[in-house]
């Protein structure tokens, strides 16, 4: 990649961990929380085996584990659909002068979509709608300001992730799953409001 990340940006990236498991001990034993934390530390989705293990450790919170698994399996298609939605709405955003130009800026945005869905699947798997860390979000907001990330486009992208995800979920579970997406969309909207 042509652009070197500044020390400040590297520091913010390290601190912009947007999921918090701090209050999960009310619903999950330590062994289950450790599985979530390990996946988050490695910035990856929970594996099928881990989801099964979580279901065994916390059977009362296991209803939505298959949804988390399904979204993980479909992540590439979901991100592609969200990207298409964003580009339809902002057709010049990846061209010179656009907020996602040069190409590495656009690539970073699509990567963020992948990570947004990853974080949402943790919330879904753990049945914690308020799964974000205020501190981590604060650092993410600073990071986005520093990198001049187009927040309006990111919100549209996240809404696209929600749309693409929900149409893959059983109709009976869509209302149950939607708030996990809405929670993160709302956090990003607040970035916009604070940004001006």
């Amino acid at each position: 990649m042509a652009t070197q990340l500044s020390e400040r940006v590297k520091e913010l990236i390290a601190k912009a961990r947007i999921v918090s498991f701090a209050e999960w001990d009310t619903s999950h034993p330590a062994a289950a929380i450790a599985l979530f934390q390990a996946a988050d530390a490695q910035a990856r989705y929970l594996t099928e085996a881990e989801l099964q293990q979580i279901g065994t450790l916390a059977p009362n919170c296991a209803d939505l584990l298959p949804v988390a698994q399904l979204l993980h399996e479909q992540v590439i298609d979901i991100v592609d659909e969200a990207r298409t939605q964003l580009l339809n709405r902002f057709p010049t955003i990846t061209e010179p002068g656009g907020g996602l130009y040069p190409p590495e800026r656009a690539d970073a945005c699509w990567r963020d979509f992948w990570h947004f869905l990853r974080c949402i699947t943790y919330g879904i798997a753990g049945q914690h709608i308020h799964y974000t860390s205020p501190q981590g979000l604060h650092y993410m907001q600073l990071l986005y300001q520093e990198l001049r990330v187009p927040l309006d486009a990111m919100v549209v992208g996240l809404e696209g992730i929600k749309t693409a995800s929900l149409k893959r979920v059983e109709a009976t579970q869509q209302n149950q799953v939607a708030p996990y997406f809405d929670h993160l969309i709302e956090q990003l909207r607040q970035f916009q409001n604070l940004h001006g």
Side-chain angles (χ1 to χ4, degrees), residues 108-157:
C109 172
W110 318 140
R111 255 195 319 278
D112 279 359
F113 287 1
W114 189 91
H115 284 296
F116 287 155
L117 185 59
R118 172 178 67 82
C119 295
I120 291 165
T121 64
Y122 295 162
I124 291 170
Q127 293 192 356
H128 279 265
I129 291 171
H130 301 283
Y131 51 85
T132 52
S133 152
Q135 191 180 13
L137 285 165
H138 170 69
Y139 286 118
M140 187 173 133
Q141 185 185 352
L142 294 177
L143 176 65
Y144 274 16
Q145 282 175 1
E146 188 79 11
L147 296 175
R148 298 190 314 281
V149 173
L151 290 170
D152 52 348
M154 296 306 277
V155 169
V156 166

Side-chain angles (χ1 to χ4, degrees), residues 95 174 181:
E95 293 172 11
Q174 287 175 358
F181 293 89

Side-chain angles (χ1 to χ4, degrees), residues 10 80 139 156 175 180:
K10 286 181 191 167
D80 281 349
Y139 286 118
V156 166
N175 288 342
Y180 296 91

